[in-house]
Amino acid sequence: MFKKILIANRGEIALRVIRTCKEMGIKTVAVYSTADAESLHVRFADEAVCIGPPPSNMSYLKMSNIIAAAEITNADAIHPGYGFLSENAKFSKICAEHDIKFIGASPEMIAKMGDKATAKATMKEAGVPTVPGSDGLLESYEEAAKLAKKMGYPVMLKATAGGGGKGMRAVWKEEDLRKALESAQQEAAASFGNDGMYMEKLIEEPRHIEIQVVGDAYGKACHLSERDCSVQRRHQKLTEETPSPFMTDELREKMGKAAVKAAEYIKYEGAGTVEFLVDKHRNFYFMEMNTRIQVEHPITEQVIDYDLIREQILVAAGVPISGKNYIPKLHSIECRINAEDPYNDFRPSPGRITTLHAPGGHGVRLDTHVYSGYIIPPNYDSMIAKLITTAQTRDEAINKMKRALDEFVIEGIKTTIPFHRQLMDHPDYIAGNYTTKFMEDFRMKPEEEE
Ligand code: MV4
């Protein structure tokens, strides 16, 4: 078992990993930029190394500084969290070259799942349902036009080096195809240095339902049921829940089997997420596979009473998984609390938190690194807390979320708490009747006079 793990991340996920390491008797090393000198992950870790100034590319993305921190503290493993270097094949390789265990996927796996056309072709080989479309990358506009005509519009153009909505274009009519393909390729070349594009039939008003999987070093994989992540704004998830209100026992059985088949086919090691698009007829299609722990992992932990970070560490240390698949016994909802103003187009609202009162009580979990007096730096993403409620039924979990949001006081900055409070009162949300289109029509009710 590892003696000392360096957490190459910040904020709530760094704290999350440190907590599990402490419970496992593993020493921890925090890394921080000068903007995070007062952050809780620095205080909770056994050791802390400053790795640079605030800009991410000079600190949390600076591989040489992170490896140097691991070397001087003699860490035998690195947990990358999510974001930053968590899905960076080069960093995974550098860790291996320095004999430091990267608690995540191998460089080959990251590269394979990171190239979306390759990932899709691999899943098709594995017998996992994929969206009908081009066989690999589009070689020309003519090929695209011919295929789109054959499939019928609308179609979706996707950048193979993209993901998470980047480098994607929906095309509804033939006359728009050429321009859409050209602009998508230019954007992909500029953003990813790779203009490879592929095409799919457009799935209208899909739900985003993902399956958590864990694979071990011996070819075994299991699934830990689904998370519905359809409530998104500009490809940023706002809230997630498990079980999905759209799920049926039959669909969960089929999606779970497909996700395990995918993981075992690629010999996936560690915690991973197989993302699916689900249409209104409950057909499901492979979308992407993420080779990292996800922000929303706590709702899965809550409904099956499981520690996913612990599982990641055990698998990385070569411990076999039990192989049991898990079906949720409870219902759990996560609201991502961001330092953004929902009354002003969710614009960022960094600054000092002057007052913070955290919600609590039975079935309430708050994963956060912020505290009264904490200054939210403008350099990183705006998520400051994840509020998770868990109960026997969805209605009770919603009720508990309303109560917890009403208790949650954060002053000095604007947050998305009022958005989530209004969401919990929205009839379509309460009915579980929402798709990835939901936020296009959502409007905040005016601010109540304090
Ligand atoms: C799609 C789609 C409809 N049809 N593919 C968005 C990000 C990336 N994961 C793939 N995405 C989509 N792919 C086809 N063939 C609709 C989306 C999509 C979406 C998917 C999940 C969650 C939110 C979304 C928001 C817009 C579009």
Side-chain angles (χ1 to χ4, degrees), residues 2 34 50-51 96 113 122 186 254 261 272 279 286 300 302-303 309 324 327 365 392 416 421 430 439-440:
F2 308 118
T34 48
C50 183
I51 50 169
M113 292 300 110
T122 306
Q186 279 158 19
K254 288 198 288 188
K261 188 159 64 166
D279 72 14
F286 171 80
T300 299
Q302 293 297 109
V303 296
I309 304 294
K324 220 172 85 182
I327 307 301
R365 169 174 167 177
Q392 295 284 342
T416 52
R421 187 60 186 81
I430 292 172
M439 282 304 291
E440 285 176 19

Side-chain angles (χ1 to χ4, degrees), residues 174-370:
E174 182 173 17
E175 58 259 36
D176 299 336
L177 183 62
R178 186 186 292 275
K179 266 212 173 326
L181 183 59
E182 281 166 6
S183 81
Q185 281 184 300
Q186 279 158 19
E187 181 189 314
S191 315
F192 321 115
N194 173 346
D195 69 354
M197 300 295 297
Y198 62 104
M199 182 192 281
E200 296 181 341
K201 184 77 190 115
L202 188 134
I203 309 290
E204 297 197 51
E205 311 220 359
R207 284 169 173 81
H208 170 137
I209 298 179
E210 57 191 36
I211 302 278
Q212 180 70 58
V213 294
V214 179
D216 66 14
Y218 311 97
K220 190 103 191 86
C222 65
H223 78 79
L224 309 180
S225 73
E226 80 277 1
R227 295 186 289 259
D228 193 319
C229 308
S230 302
V231 179
Q232 303 191 11
R233 180 175 180 279
R234 297 181 189 167
H235 298 294
Q236 294 297 317
K237 296 170 182 171
L238 300 175
T239 180
E240 308 93 348
E241 68 177 303
T242 180
S244 164
F246 194 59
M247 192 54 78
T248 63
D249 290 348
E250 186 207 353
L251 180 58
R252 177 181 294 114
E253 173 86 15
K254 288 198 288 188
M255 291 180 75
K257 273 199 169 60
V260 169
K261 188 159 64 166
E264 291 190 339
Y265 183 81
I266 61 177
K267 295 186 175 31
Y268 188 75
E269 285 184 38
T273 298
V274 187
E275 291 185 348
F276 293 98
L277 287 171
V278 182
D279 72 14
K280 57 178 176 254
H281 308 299
R282 288 192 171 84
N283 300 308
F284 63 97
Y285 306 94
F286 171 80
M287 186 162 49
E288 296 177 16
M289 176 156 189
N290 303 322
T291 59
R292 67 178 188 275
I293 192 76
Q294 307 225 169
V295 170
E296 59 269 26
H297 78 272
I299 59 174
T300 299
E301 296 190 317
Q302 293 297 109
V303 296
I304 59 175
D305 188 16
Y306 199 92
D307 180 333
L308 264 165
I309 304 294
R310 174 185 164 83
E311 200 62 22
Q312 279 189 295
I313 294 169
L314 292 176
V315 164
V319 176
I321 59 167
S322 67
K324 220 172 85 182
N325 292 327
Y326 285 82
I327 307 301
K329 301 186 290 261
L330 299 166
H331 198 102
S332 192
I333 300 169
E334 174 184 86
C335 287
R336 298 187 186 201
I337 311 301
N338 295 344
E340 295 170 351
D341 184 354
Y343 295 102
N344 282 291
D345 202 29
F346 289 83
R347 70 182 177 202
S349 167
R352 174 189 290 275
I353 293 176
T354 53
T355 307
L356 184 137
H357 175 76
H362 178 64
V364 177
R365 169 174 167 177
L366 182 66
D367 282 21
T368 187
H369 59 296
V370 305

Side-chain angles (χ1 to χ4, degrees), residues 21-63:
C21 288
K22 285 193 168 205
E23 291 170 8
M24 295 175 76
I26 299 171
K27 291 288 179 204
T28 54
V29 179
V31 291
Y32 64 96
S33 74
T34 48
D36 283 335
E38 299 304 314
S39 187
L40 279 190
H41 74 285
V42 174
R43 294 194 209 174
F44 278 30
D46 297 300
E47 295 173 75
V49 180
C50 183
I51 50 169
S56 296
N57 59 5
M58 298 168 79
S59 52
Y60 297 103
L61 291 172
K62 191 113 175 90
M63 298 186 211

Side-chain angles (χ1 to χ4, degrees), residues 10-17 82 295 367-369 383 386:
R10 63 180 298 281
E12 67 87 17
I13 192 63
L15 225 47
R16 170 76 192 81
V17 176
Y82 48 67
V295 170
D367 282 21
T368 187
H369 59 296
M383 190 176 76
K386 299 171 346 190

